[in-house]
Amino acid sequence: MLKADLSGKKALVTGASSGIGKAIASLLAECGATVAVNHLQEDVRGPATVEALNTRGFQALSAPGDVSSVDSAESMVSNAIDGLVGLDILINNAGTAATTEPIPFENLEMITEERWQQIIHTNVIGPFRCSRMAASTLKERKGCIVNTASIAGIGNAGSSIAYSNSKAAIISQTRCLARALAPEIRVNAVAPGLTRTAWTDPWNNEGKQVSIEASLLKRMVEPEDIAQGMLFLVVNPAITGQTIVIDNGRLPT
């Protein structure tokens, strides 16, 4: 397993109360970073994650806020930077599918205006808001940004047309911000395949098995797999503008 010495580094992870966000927040803390754990105000899993990390002897603080809201996102990032006294690593992980189970692409009626708005404001504009707010501090400290994309953004079927569009957009945003913020800030993304999370756990097992069988390694991606990929991008000084795929070698279906 990849480990690094991040002693003295300050990190903000959005959507860190469960799944991929919790895994990368925990890994960064284990590597010595002080981590701000972002979560929705009402999500009790966020403070529980912070308490668990601090109980283990790591350094973590709570950063409540909703990245889909401009005021909430901006104040959250500002408060996190103040609490951390700086920022070296921004993990833009918060996202939504705006559905409890996948919506077939041909079912256009279920892709409502409300779903579009929720997905785009959270998955696309939210990361941009956080990156924009953090940019000046990250530049001072020559930091980095890592975004959570998806294989749904590079041609594989996702949970809906809107979700797939949003992840294609975040891959484009990654390249654009890498250009805009260079050379001081590196910006990269990870594109997970089907990952075992609280969101995918209730899905139909038959549907998940199709994805597993389409992968070369015949397994689901674990949140810790994605965290390892993110840490790789955090510590490699020559990589920017890239999206790395972590999907167990899934073949097109």
Side-chain angles (χ1 to χ4, degrees):
M1 300 291 283
L2 178 63
K3 285 294 180 74
D5 183 3
L6 298 179
S7 301
K9 300 296 185 182
K10 314 296 177 68
L12 167 61
V13 182
T14 70
S17 63
S18 66
I20 293 170
K22 182 177 180 180
I24 184 58
S26 299
L27 182 56
L28 293 174
E30 290 166 7
C31 289
T34 303
V35 181
V37 174
N38 165 249
H39 56 90
L40 294 175
Q41 186 74 49
E42 66 275 14
D43 190 348
V44 297
R45 297 173 301 174
T49 297
V50 172
E51 182 179 2
L53 288 173
N54 287 330
T55 299
R56 292 170 61 194
F58 305 128
Q59 295 180 303
L61 56 91
S62 179
D66 183 353
V67 302
S68 72
S69 163
V70 59
D71 291 338
S72 182
E74 290 183 351
S75 63
M76 180 273 293
V77 174
S78 178
N79 291 338
I81 291 172
D82 288 344
L84 292 167
V85 194
L87 190 67
D88 302 280
I89 303 161
L90 171 62
I91 308 290
N92 281 315
N93 172 73
T96 184
T99 179
T100 56
E101 59 185 23
I103 300 172
F105 276 22
E106 59 269 21
N107 193 342
L108 301 183
E109 295 304 314
M110 288 192 69
I111 308 302
T112 61
E113 291 289 328
E114 182 181 7
R115 275 204 168 97
W116 269 111
Q117 292 290 336
Q118 185 179 356
I119 288 171
I120 295 301
H121 277 276
T122 305
N123 296 5
V124 182
I125 306 176
F128 181 78
R129 289 178 179 128
C130 295
S131 297
R132 180 178 59 194
M133 279 297 297
S136 61
T137 303
L138 288 172
K139 278 190 174 184
E140 291 173 3
R141 300 169 71 100
K142 295 193 166 36
C144 67
I145 298 171
V146 180
N147 297 320
T148 300
S150 169
I151 61 170
I154 55 174
N156 289 77
S159 57
S160 73
I161 285 178
Y163 181 82
S164 294
N165 283 190
S166 75
K167 292 305 184 177
I170 204 64
I171 291 171
S172 174
Q173 186 180 126
T174 296
R175 291 194 297 266
C176 292
L177 283 178
R179 181 184 296 271
L181 300 176
E184 295 90 354
I185 303 173
R186 295 181 300 106
V187 187
N188 293 290
V190 172
L194 177 64
T195 305
R196 192 187 313 278
T197 65
W199 178 52
T200 60
D201 281 345
W203 288 11
N204 179 278
N205 285 330
E206 183 178 345
K208 287 191 284 192
Q209 193 61 36
V210 170
S211 179
I212 291 170
E213 289 303 317
S215 73
L216 297 176
L217 300 184
K218 309 302 181 189
R219 63 188 285 270
M220 285 184 71
V221 180
E222 301 294 339
E224 292 75 18
D225 300 331
I226 308 304
Q228 285 285 309
M230 289 179 166
L231 180 60
F232 172 80
L233 292 173
V234 165
V235 300
N236 277 269
I239 303 176
T240 194
Q242 304 302 308
T243 297
I244 64 171
V245 175
I246 300 178
D247 65 353
N248 291 323
R250 178 171 170 174
L251 302 173
T253 55

mmCIF file of all heavy atoms in Angstrom, residues 170-206:
data_model
loop_
_atom_site.group_PDB
_atom_site.id
_atom_site.type_symbol
_atom_site.label_atom_id
_atom_site.label_comp_id
_atom_site.label_asym_id
_atom_site.label_seq_id
_atom_site.Cartn_x
_atom_site.Cartn_y
_atom_site.Cartn_z
ATOM 1 N N ILE A 170 -16.379 17.270 -15.269
ATOM 2 C CA ILE A 170 -15.347 17.428 -14.241
ATOM 3 C C ILE A 170 -13.983 16.994 -14.786
ATOM 4 O O ILE A 170 -12.942 17.535 -14.377
ATOM 5 C CB ILE A 170 -15.704 16.672 -12.945
ATOM 6 C CG1 ILE A 170 -14.970 17.295 -11.735
ATOM 7 C CG2 ILE A 170 -15.373 15.209 -13.021
ATOM 8 C CD1 ILE A 170 -15.377 18.700 -11.432
ATOM 9 N N ILE A 171 -13.962 16.059 -15.729
ATOM 10 C CA ILE A 171 -12.696 15.704 -16.384
ATOM 11 C C ILE A 171 -12.191 16.893 -17.199
ATOM 12 O O ILE A 171 -11.003 17.230 -17.168
ATOM 13 C CB ILE A 171 -12.885 14.456 -17.251
ATOM 14 C CG1 ILE A 171 -13.120 13.234 -16.363
ATOM 15 C CG2 ILE A 171 -11.668 14.228 -18.157
ATOM 16 C CD1 ILE A 171 -13.539 11.989 -17.107
ATOM 17 N N SER A 172 -13.090 17.553 -17.914
ATOM 18 C CA SER A 172 -12.715 18.755 -18.666
ATOM 19 C C SER A 172 -12.278 19.867 -17.716
ATOM 20 O O SER A 172 -11.277 20.554 -17.961
ATOM 21 C CB SER A 172 -13.895 19.225 -19.520
ATOM 22 O OG SER A 172 -13.605 20.452 -20.146
ATOM 23 N N GLN A 173 -13.012 20.045 -16.623
ATOM 24 C CA GLN A 173 -12.656 21.076 -15.646
ATOM 25 C C GLN A 173 -11.266 20.824 -15.065
ATOM 26 O O GLN A 173 -10.500 21.770 -14.835
ATOM 27 C CB GLN A 173 -13.695 21.113 -14.523
ATOM 28 C CG GLN A 173 -13.494 22.237 -13.528
ATOM 29 C CD GLN A 173 -14.556 22.235 -12.434
ATOM 30 O OE1 GLN A 173 -14.245 22.216 -11.258
ATOM 31 N NE2 GLN A 173 -15.824 22.263 -12.827
ATOM 32 N N THR A 174 -10.934 19.564 -14.849
ATOM 33 C CA THR A 174 -9.617 19.213 -14.333
ATOM 34 C C THR A 174 -8.522 19.706 -15.273
ATOM 35 O O THR A 174 -7.528 20.314 -14.844
ATOM 36 C CB THR A 174 -9.515 17.686 -14.134
ATOM 37 O OG1 THR A 174 -10.461 17.275 -13.138
ATOM 38 C CG2 THR A 174 -8.110 17.271 -13.721
ATOM 39 N N ARG A 175 -8.695 19.440 -16.571
ATOM 40 C CA ARG A 175 -7.692 19.888 -17.549
ATOM 41 C C ARG A 175 -7.634 21.410 -17.611
ATOM 42 O O ARG A 175 -6.537 21.996 -17.685
ATOM 43 C CB ARG A 175 -8.029 19.323 -18.936
ATOM 44 C CG ARG A 175 -7.844 17.826 -19.059
ATOM 45 C CD ARG A 175 -7.862 17.385 -20.513
ATOM 46 N NE ARG A 175 -9.155 17.668 -21.151
ATOM 47 C CZ ARG A 175 -10.152 16.794 -21.242
ATOM 48 N NH1 ARG A 175 -10.023 15.589 -20.724
ATOM 49 N NH2 ARG A 175 -11.281 17.124 -21.857
ATOM 50 N N CYS A 176 -8.807 22.054 -17.586
ATOM 51 C CA CYS A 176 -8.838 23.519 -17.685
ATOM 52 C C CYS A 176 -8.192 24.183 -16.478
ATOM 53 O O CYS A 176 -7.425 25.144 -16.615
ATOM 54 C CB CYS A 176 -10.281 24.004 -17.842
ATOM 55 S SG CYS A 176 -11.058 23.557 -19.405
ATOM 56 N N LEU A 177 -8.489 23.673 -15.280
ATOM 57 C CA LEU A 177 -7.903 24.268 -14.077
ATOM 58 C C LEU A 177 -6.412 23.983 -13.983
ATOM 59 O O LEU A 177 -5.653 24.807 -13.465
ATOM 60 C CB LEU A 177 -8.621 23.756 -12.826
ATOM 61 C CG LEU A 177 -9.986 24.376 -12.530
ATOM 62 C CD1 LEU A 177 -10.598 23.731 -11.283
ATOM 63 C CD2 LEU A 177 -9.889 25.887 -12.348
ATOM 64 N N ALA A 178 -5.995 22.821 -14.479
ATOM 65 C CA ALA A 178 -4.555 22.534 -14.485
ATOM 66 C C ALA A 178 -3.818 23.585 -15.303
ATOM 67 O O ALA A 178 -2.729 24.050 -14.920
ATOM 68 C CB ALA A 178 -4.297 21.141 -15.058
ATOM 69 N N ARG A 179 -4.410 23.968 -16.419
ATOM 70 C CA ARG A 179 -3.810 25.012 -17.250
ATOM 71 C C ARG A 179 -3.887 26.377 -16.564
ATOM 72 O O ARG A 179 -2.922 27.144 -16.561
ATOM 73 C CB ARG A 179 -4.526 25.066 -18.606
ATOM 74 C CG ARG A 179 -3.969 26.100 -19.574
ATOM 75 C CD ARG A 179 -4.804 26.132 -20.848
ATOM 76 N NE ARG A 179 -4.728 24.877 -21.575
ATOM 77 C CZ ARG A 179 -3.812 24.608 -22.496
ATOM 78 N NH1 ARG A 179 -2.880 25.506 -22.797
ATOM 79 N NH2 ARG A 179 -3.806 23.455 -23.125
ATOM 80 N N ALA A 180 -5.042 26.665 -15.974
ATOM 81 C CA ALA A 180 -5.264 27.983 -15.376
ATOM 82 C C ALA A 180 -4.399 28.221 -14.139
ATOM 83 O O ALA A 180 -3.974 29.356 -13.881
ATOM 84 C CB ALA A 180 -6.734 28.149 -15.020
ATOM 85 N N LEU A 181 -4.134 27.174 -13.367
ATOM 86 C CA LEU A 181 -3.465 27.337 -12.072
ATOM 87 C C LEU A 181 -1.984 26.954 -12.089
ATOM 88 O O LEU A 181 -1.295 27.073 -11.077
ATOM 89 C CB LEU A 181 -4.198 26.510 -11.010
ATOM 90 C CG LEU A 181 -5.671 26.890 -10.791
ATOM 91 C CD1 LEU A 181 -6.330 25.941 -9.789
ATOM 92 C CD2 LEU A 181 -5.802 28.332 -10.326
ATOM 93 N N ALA A 182 -1.508 26.478 -13.234
ATOM 94 C CA ALA A 182 -0.084 26.150 -13.343
ATOM 95 C C ALA A 182 0.757 27.425 -13.332
ATOM 96 O O ALA A 182 0.280 28.489 -13.715
ATOM 97 C CB ALA A 182 0.156 25.384 -14.647
ATOM 98 N N PRO A 183 1.994 27.361 -12.879
ATOM 99 C CA PRO A 183 2.703 26.154 -12.420
ATOM 100 C C PRO A 183 2.596 25.901 -10.921
ATOM 101 O O PRO A 183 3.108 24.896 -10.431
ATOM 102 C CB PRO A 183 4.156 26.460 -12.804
ATOM 103 C CG PRO A 183 4.270 27.944 -12.598
ATOM 104 C CD PRO A 183 2.927 28.507 -13.028
ATOM 105 N N GLU A 184 1.936 26.805 -10.194
ATOM 106 C CA GLU A 184 1.950 26.679 -8.731
ATOM 107 C C GLU A 184 1.087 25.513 -8.215
ATOM 108 O O GLU A 184 1.421 24.886 -7.205
ATOM 109 C CB GLU A 184 1.465 27.979 -8.076
ATOM 110 C CG GLU A 184 2.375 29.175 -8.308
ATOM 111 C CD GLU A 184 2.003 29.938 -9.567
ATOM 112 O OE1 GLU A 184 1.125 29.467 -10.315
ATOM 113 O OE2 GLU A 184 2.585 31.010 -9.784
ATOM 114 N N ILE A 185 -0.042 25.260 -8.873
ATOM 115 C CA ILE A 185 -0.984 24.248 -8.388
ATOM 116 C C ILE A 185 -1.147 23.151 -9.432
ATOM 117 O O ILE A 185 -1.386 23.439 -10.607
ATOM 118 C CB ILE A 185 -2.363 24.869 -8.094
ATOM 119 C CG1 ILE A 185 -2.244 26.018 -7.085
ATOM 120 C CG2 ILE A 185 -3.334 23.802 -7.568
ATOM 121 C CD1 ILE A 185 -3.541 26.788 -6.884
ATOM 122 N N ARG A 186 -1.026 21.910 -9.003
ATOM 123 C CA ARG A 186 -1.326 20.785 -9.875
ATOM 124 C C ARG A 186 -2.784 20.361 -9.684
ATOM 125 O O ARG A 186 -3.288 20.372 -8.557
ATOM 126 C CB ARG A 186 -0.415 19.591 -9.565
ATOM 127 C CG ARG A 186 1.054 19.860 -9.865
ATOM 128 C CD ARG A 186 1.911 18.643 -9.570
ATOM 129 N NE ARG A 186 1.835 18.226 -8.174
ATOM 130 C CZ ARG A 186 1.179 17.152 -7.752
ATOM 131 N NH1 ARG A 186 0.547 16.364 -8.603
ATOM 132 N NH2 ARG A 186 1.169 16.843 -6.458
ATOM 133 N N VAL A 187 -3.459 19.987 -10.780
ATOM 134 C CA VAL A 187 -4.860 19.577 -10.718
ATOM 135 C C VAL A 187 -5.023 18.268 -11.488
ATOM 136 O O VAL A 187 -4.693 18.189 -12.672
ATOM 137 C CB VAL A 187 -5.792 20.641 -11.317
ATOM 138 C CG1 VAL A 187 -7.262 20.254 -11.081
ATOM 139 C CG2 VAL A 187 -5.512 22.022 -10.728
ATOM 140 N N ASN A 188 -5.527 17.249 -10.812
ATOM 141 C CA ASN A 188 -5.740 15.944 -11.426
ATOM 142 C C ASN A 188 -7.072 15.366 -10.957
ATOM 143 O O ASN A 188 -7.757 15.945 -10.114
ATOM 144 C CB ASN A 188 -4.599 14.988 -11.053
ATOM 145 C CG ASN A 188 -3.272 15.402 -11.644
ATOM 146 O OD1 ASN A 188 -3.066 15.323 -12.857
ATOM 147 N ND2 ASN A 188 -2.350 15.868 -10.798
ATOM 148 N N ALA A 189 -7.424 14.208 -11.513
ATOM 149 C CA ALA A 189 -8.672 13.552 -11.135
ATOM 150 C C ALA A 189 -8.488 12.039 -11.143
ATOM 151 O O ALA A 189 -7.599 11.503 -11.811
ATOM 152 C CB ALA A 189 -9.800 13.945 -12.085
ATOM 153 N N VAL A 190 -9.352 11.368 -10.412
ATOM 154 C CA VAL A 190 -9.452 9.914 -10.431
ATOM 155 C C VAL A 190 -10.839 9.556 -10.938
ATOM 156 O O VAL A 190 -11.834 10.156 -10.517
ATOM 157 C CB VAL A 190 -9.230 9.312 -9.025
ATOM 158 C CG1 VAL A 190 -9.542 7.826 -9.022
ATOM 159 C CG2 VAL A 190 -7.799 9.546 -8.565
ATOM 160 N N ALA A 191 -10.911 8.586 -11.855
ATOM 161 C CA ALA A 191 -12.192 8.126 -12.390
ATOM 162 C C ALA A 191 -12.460 6.709 -11.886
ATOM 163 O O ALA A 191 -11.939 5.738 -12.442
ATOM 164 C CB ALA A 191 -12.180 8.157 -13.915
ATOM 165 N N PRO A 192 -13.264 6.572 -10.830
ATOM 166 C CA PRO A 192 -13.549 5.238 -10.301
ATOM 167 C C PRO A 192 -14.539 4.476 -11.176
ATOM 168 O O PRO A 192 -15.405 5.058 -11.834
ATOM 169 C CB PRO A 192 -14.182 5.527 -8.932
ATOM 170 C CG PRO A 192 -13.904 6.978 -8.644
ATOM 171 C CD PRO A 192 -13.807 7.634 -9.983
ATOM 172 N N GLY A 193 -14.407 3.149 -11.142
ATOM 173 C CA GLY A 193 -15.446 2.281 -11.655
ATOM 174 C C GLY A 193 -16.454 2.022 -10.547
ATOM 175 O O GLY A 193 -16.514 2.758 -9.553
ATOM 176 N N LEU A 194 -17.258 0.985 -10.692
ATOM 177 C CA LEU A 194 -18.259 0.651 -9.676
ATOM 178 C C LEU A 194 -17.575 0.419 -8.335
ATOM 179 O O LEU A 194 -16.751 -0.489 -8.188
ATOM 180 C CB LEU A 194 -19.023 -0.608 -10.092
ATOM 181 C CG LEU A 194 -20.068 -1.116 -9.089
ATOM 182 C CD1 LEU A 194 -21.192 -0.098 -8.902
ATOM 183 C CD2 LEU A 194 -20.625 -2.461 -9.534
ATOM 184 N N THR A 195 -17.916 1.267 -7.363
ATOM 185 C CA THR A 195 -17.233 1.264 -6.070
ATOM 186 C C THR A 195 -18.195 0.896 -4.950
ATOM 187 O O THR A 195 -19.344 1.329 -4.943
ATOM 188 C CB THR A 195 -16.615 2.650 -5.796
ATOM 189 O OG1 THR A 195 -15.754 3.008 -6.885
ATOM 190 C CG2 THR A 195 -15.809 2.652 -4.503
ATOM 191 N N ARG A 196 -17.718 0.119 -4.016
ATOM 192 C CA ARG A 196 -18.544 -0.302 -2.887
ATOM 193 C C ARG A 196 -18.706 0.860 -1.900
ATOM 194 O O ARG A 196 -17.771 1.217 -1.183
ATOM 195 C CB ARG A 196 -17.893 -1.491 -2.172
ATOM 196 C CG ARG A 196 -18.817 -2.190 -1.169
ATOM 197 C CD ARG A 196 -18.062 -3.244 -0.371
ATOM 198 N NE ARG A 196 -17.239 -4.105 -1.186
ATOM 199 C CZ ARG A 196 -17.691 -5.171 -1.867
ATOM 200 N NH1 ARG A 196 -18.969 -5.483 -1.824
ATOM 201 N NH2 ARG A 196 -16.848 -5.906 -2.583
ATOM 202 N N THR A 197 -19.877 1.459 -1.872
ATOM 203 C CA THR A 197 -20.166 2.576 -0.969
ATOM 204 C C THR A 197 -21.580 2.416 -0.420
ATOM 205 O O THR A 197 -22.342 1.544 -0.848
ATOM 206 C CB THR A 197 -20.078 3.931 -1.696
ATOM 207 O OG1 THR A 197 -21.116 3.996 -2.693
ATOM 208 C CG2 THR A 197 -18.717 4.126 -2.367
ATOM 209 N N ALA A 198 -21.932 3.300 0.510
ATOM 210 C CA ALA A 198 -23.288 3.277 1.065
ATOM 211 C C ALA A 198 -24.329 3.545 -0.013
ATOM 212 O O ALA A 198 -25.493 3.145 0.116
ATOM 213 C CB ALA A 198 -23.406 4.308 2.190
ATOM 214 N N TRP A 199 -23.927 4.246 -1.088
ATOM 215 C CA TRP A 199 -24.858 4.537 -2.180
ATOM 216 C C TRP A 199 -25.083 3.312 -3.054
ATOM 217 O O TRP A 199 -26.214 3.002 -3.456
ATOM 218 C CB TRP A 199 -24.307 5.695 -3.024
ATOM 219 C CG TRP A 199 -25.158 6.043 -4.200
ATOM 220 C CD1 TRP A 199 -26.501 6.316 -4.194
ATOM 221 C CD2 TRP A 199 -24.735 6.138 -5.562
ATOM 222 N NE1 TRP A 199 -26.932 6.588 -5.473
ATOM 223 C CE2 TRP A 199 -25.879 6.481 -6.327
ATOM 224 C CE3 TRP A 199 -23.513 5.984 -6.199
ATOM 225 C CZ2 TRP A 199 -25.817 6.666 -7.714
ATOM 226 C CZ3 TRP A 199 -23.451 6.166 -7.568
ATOM 227 C CH2 TRP A 199 -24.595 6.507 -8.316
ATOM 228 N N THR A 200 -24.023 2.555 -3.363
ATOM 229 C CA THR A 200 -24.170 1.404 -4.250
ATOM 230 C C THR A 200 -24.590 0.132 -3.515
ATOM 231 O O THR A 200 -25.076 -0.813 -4.151
ATOM 232 C CB THR A 200 -22.862 1.117 -5.008
ATOM 233 O OG1 THR A 200 -21.811 0.833 -4.063
ATOM 234 C CG2 THR A 200 -22.465 2.306 -5.875
ATOM 235 N N ASP A 201 -24.441 0.085 -2.196
ATOM 236 C CA ASP A 201 -24.788 -1.130 -1.445
ATOM 237 C C ASP A 201 -26.219 -1.611 -1.697
ATOM 238 O O ASP A 201 -26.447 -2.816 -1.844
ATOM 239 C CB ASP A 201 -24.563 -0.918 0.059
ATOM 240 C CG ASP A 201 -23.095 -1.038 0.448
ATOM 241 O OD1 ASP A 201 -22.308 -1.553 -0.373
ATOM 242 O OD2 ASP A 201 -22.737 -0.606 1.559
ATOM 243 N N PRO A 202 -27.218 -0.699 -1.757
ATOM 244 C CA PRO A 202 -28.597 -1.183 -1.947
ATOM 245 C C PRO A 202 -28.928 -1.571 -3.387
ATOM 246 O O PRO A 202 -30.028 -2.074 -3.639
ATOM 247 C CB PRO A 202 -29.459 0.028 -1.512
ATOM 248 C CG PRO A 202 -28.536 0.982 -0.837
ATOM 249 C CD PRO A 202 -27.203 0.739 -1.445
ATOM 250 N N TRP A 203 -28.037 -1.327 -4.321
ATOM 251 C CA TRP A 203 -28.336 -1.615 -5.727
ATOM 252 C C TRP A 203 -28.585 -3.103 -5.943
ATOM 253 O O TRP A 203 -28.089 -3.954 -5.200
ATOM 254 C CB TRP A 203 -27.183 -1.181 -6.627
ATOM 255 C CG TRP A 203 -27.045 0.296 -6.782
ATOM 256 C CD1 TRP A 203 -27.681 1.274 -6.076
ATOM 257 C CD2 TRP A 203 -26.171 0.964 -7.698
ATOM 258 N NE1 TRP A 203 -27.262 2.515 -6.494
ATOM 259 C CE2 TRP A 203 -26.337 2.358 -7.491
ATOM 260 C CE3 TRP A 203 -25.271 0.535 -8.663
ATOM 261 C CZ2 TRP A 203 -25.645 3.310 -8.210
ATOM 262 C CZ3 TRP A 203 -24.567 1.482 -9.395
ATOM 263 C CH2 TRP A 203 -24.759 2.854 -9.165
ATOM 264 N N ASN A 204 -29.316 -3.397 -7.004
ATOM 265 C CA ASN A 204 -29.609 -4.763 -7.386
ATOM 266 C C ASN A 204 -28.315 -5.544 -7.616
ATOM 267 O O ASN A 204 -27.457 -5.127 -8.387
ATOM 268 C CB ASN A 204 -30.459 -4.748 -8.663
ATOM 269 C CG ASN A 204 -30.792 -6.139 -9.144
ATOM 270 O OD1 ASN A 204 -29.988 -6.776 -9.804
ATOM 271 N ND2 ASN A 204 -31.983 -6.602 -8.805
ATOM 272 N N ASN A 205 -28.172 -6.665 -6.930
ATOM 273 C CA ASN A 205 -26.938 -7.450 -7.028
ATOM 274 C C ASN A 205 -26.683 -7.967 -8.433
ATOM 275 O O ASN A 205 -25.533 -8.076 -8.868
ATOM 276 C CB ASN A 205 -26.971 -8.619 -6.042
ATOM 277 C CG ASN A 205 -26.740 -8.174 -4.605
ATOM 278 O OD1 ASN A 205 -26.048 -7.187 -4.372
ATOM 279 N ND2 ASN A 205 -27.319 -8.889 -3.669
ATOM 280 N N GLU A 206 -27.752 -8.275 -9.158
ATOM 281 C CA GLU A 206 -27.585 -8.770 -10.524
ATOM 282 C C GLU A 206 -26.942 -7.708 -11.409
ATOM 283 O O GLU A 206 -26.042 -8.000 -12.212
ATOM 284 C CB GLU A 206 -28.940 -9.180 -11.094
ATOM 285 C CG GLU A 206 -28.857 -9.787 -12.492
ATOM 286 C CD GLU A 206 -30.214 -10.226 -13.017
ATOM 287 O OE1 GLU A 206 -31.161 -10.326 -12.199
ATOM 288 O OE2 GLU A 206 -30.324 -10.460 -14.234
#
